[in-house]
Amino acid sequence: SQTIHQWPATLVQPVGSPLSLECTVEGTSNPNLYWYRQAAGRGLQLLFYSVGIGQISSEVPQNLSASRPQDRQFILSSKKLLLSDSGFYLCASFASEAFFGQGTRLTVV
Amino acid sequence: SQKIEQNSEALNIQEGKTATLTCNYTNYSPAYLQWYRQDPGRGPVFLLLIRENEKEKRKERLKVTFDTTLKQSLFHITASQPADSATYLCALKGGGNKLTFGTGTQLKVEL
């Protein structure tokens, strides 16, 4: 089965600082990859998804961007973090079922 | 617009009883629907997939039904245990491989 590596597990960043979260996938090739954000006690908000290298679909206009430089690598970035960017970020790979990484809890202070 | 709705109120039930969770959707024509379990601070874990031509699917103490006319899926946990306490999410794949989750329903199984 697939394994999703996502790091770091927790991150505290000041407002205005840049962000780079990386997700890598093992056990499959050409996966559909997803970034979700989850606020405390809330559902999963789809941020970006990608069906292939260099192909990014953005779901919510916001302060974030995503890139897919390699088949099994998906990166979430921001040039300047806002307080509202705080949340639990999850990377997922999907074929017939979704596999999730461990998540990154980001706190912007 | 496409929507996936789950009861946002937490469901509290007694150990041994059957828990039933609901997932309703609009403006989807899904080939299948999925259910996931999420524990606090963790990513969701896949539980079951049910296809549009399947009315019911079972896995151990779990049962899922899928009514494409009502646009609804029901998720049942029989003989519930405290270890079943978690948030349960349904998910649908829309056009372009967009995978969207419902808001989830928190289940608490009490002794």
Side-chain angles (χ1 to χ4, degrees), chain A:
Chain A
S1 67
Q2 300 178 34
T3 302
I4 313 300
H5 298 283
Q6 190 183 341
W7 65 93
T10 59
L11 190 59
V12 180
Q13 291 284 104
V15 168
S17 64
L19 172 74
S20 181
L21 299 180
E22 187 168 342
C23 169
T24 59
V25 182
E26 285 183 6
T28 187
S29 58
N30 197 28
N32 293 328
L33 297 176
Y34 302 78
W35 279 110
Y36 294 90
R37 178 171 60 202
Q38 189 172 35
R42 307 292 295 273
L44 295 172
Q45 180 188 30
L46 179 61
L47 302 176
F48 302 94
Y49 66 99
S50 171
V51 300
I53 296 173
Q55 300 179 62
I56 308 295
S57 296
S58 173
E59 284 301 300
V60 183
Q62 59 209 320
N63 186 40
L64 302 169
S65 62
S67 62
R68 186 166 176 180
Q70 299 180 44
D71 181 47
R72 287 175 284 179
Q73 184 184 28
F74 202 24
I75 298 172
L76 182 69
S77 303
S78 174
K79 292 182 179 177
K80 290 185 178 182
L81 284 168
L82 306 172
L83 288 173
S84 58
D85 292 324
S86 294
F88 188 48
Y89 289 82
L90 286 158
C91 176
S93 170
F94 176 75
S96 58
E97 64 183 84
F99 294 89
F100 283 84
Q102 66 171 0
T104 296
R105 184 159 305 281
L106 172 66
T107 304
V108 183
V109 296

